[in-house]
Amino acid sequence: MHLSATAIVCAVLAHGEHGAVARLMTPEDGLLPGYVRGGRSRRLKPVLLPGNIVQAEFRARSEDQLAQLTVELVHSRAGLLGEPLAAAAIEWATALTAATLPEGQPFPTLHVALDGLIAAIEAAPSARGWGSALVLYELLLLGEIGFGLDLSACAVTDARDDLIYVSPKSGRAVSRVAGQDYRDRLLHLPPFMATGGPARDWADIHDGLKLTGHFLGRDVLIDRRAPLLAARERLIDRIKRLS
């Protein structure tokens, strides 16, 4: 197996005395792992930072073998390490990707979305500039791995207008009229999650994060992946303090 791709670094784990296993998000082949010889060296450690874009070469004798991976830096996000909020957001988005996607399956839409999210964080470190993009990325990821929400019509009436809630059980949208007697049990649906585009205000961002967080915690980040939720909570706490 020989594969060459421009990829996003998502996770890096120490392997042996000097090496590392990196998991990269590629445009056409999805999440791929590879062993980087000397991956913890002074030369390569700054290259293998989550969020960096690298030119990657994967080589293996068989598909079952962990590929040998060589990387060259294409674009560095190291400058964002001095921005605690931006660094935490990139760390969360890449860690979520690495922990939830099956390896070797194509997710081209997710690759584009992750690349766009990290670029938005880089362009505007304030969460007001990328908070809605993070919510939409989490929403897209839920759908891509089989836990998508149905925000197209009301679960009760099939109405397509005035959808302002989501059922925490079914993941379906609920209209204002249908949900008025149960609003304390429903999740708020900010308009941007149904229509795309930016959030109107901080309240929309917080509502969106609460909504996607509910389904990530219930359906995805369980068992060995549960500790990831703590990293997400730390990120949300930072956003709340600054909003």
Side-chain angles (χ1 to χ4, degrees):
M1 186 270 282
H2 178 209
L3 186 148
S4 177
T6 302
I8 303 168
V9 179
C10 287
V12 181
L13 294 175
H15 190 280
E17 189 174 352
H18 303 292
V21 174
R23 304 180 80 189
L24 311 183
M25 185 63 171
T26 67
E28 297 180 0
D29 296 276
L31 191 70
L32 293 177
Y35 173 74
V36 184
R37 189 180 301 276
R40 290 187 288 158
S41 67
R42 184 176 298 178
R43 181 179 70 86
L44 287 177
K45 196 172 182 179
V47 176
L48 293 173
L49 291 176
N52 279 0
I53 299 176
V54 297
Q55 182 62 37
E57 296 277 344
F58 295 87
R59 295 179 183 271
R61 294 183 179 180
S62 70
E63 292 185 358
D64 297 330
Q65 182 185 34
L66 179 65
Q68 297 290 314
L69 172 60
T70 58
V71 293
E72 293 184 8
L73 184 64
V74 173
H75 182 68
S76 174
R77 266 69 186 242
L80 291 173
L81 294 179
E83 300 282 349
L85 183 58
I90 292 175
E91 179 185 6
W92 161 248
T94 52
L96 175 66
T97 304
T100 56
L101 295 189
E103 294 176 353
Q105 295 187 22
F107 292 95
T109 304
L110 268 180
H111 177 274
V112 171
L114 179 61
D115 187 46
L117 169 60
I118 296 175
I121 296 169
E122 184 177 27
S126 167
R128 183 64 187 269
W130 47 260
S132 57
L134 176 60
V135 173
L136 293 174
Y137 181 72
E138 292 180 343
L139 181 67
L140 176 63
L141 185 142
L142 282 165
E144 291 285 309
I145 62 175
F147 297 101
L149 310 186
D150 184 354
L151 307 180
S152 61
C154 177
V156 180
T157 65
D158 282 334
R160 295 182 178 273
D161 298 321
D162 207 19
L163 304 175
I164 67 167
Y165 303 114
V166 172
S167 165
K169 292 184 179 180
S170 69
R172 295 190 62 189
V174 179
S175 70
R176 186 188 306 272
V177 172
Q180 62 183 350
D181 293 334
Y182 311 97
R183 56 184 178 273
D184 293 339
R185 307 178 201 172
L186 300 173
L187 297 164
H188 287 277
L189 173 62
F192 78 89
M193 292 188 69
T195 63
R200 297 171 302 183
D201 50 31
W202 282 113
D204 274 2
I205 293 173
H206 294 316
D207 284 343
L209 288 168
K210 183 176 180 180
L211 197 160
T212 52
H214 170 80
F215 292 101
L216 285 170
R218 188 190 74 177
D219 299 325
V220 180
L221 300 178
I222 56 178
D223 299 328
R224 64 181 177 81
R225 293 179 289 193
L228 270 180
L229 283 174
R232 188 178 189 273
E233 289 303 315
R234 289 194 295 272
L235 171 61
I236 292 174
D237 284 343
R238 287 181 182 274
I239 293 174
K240 287 180 177 178
R241 288 199 298 269
L242 296 173
S243 61

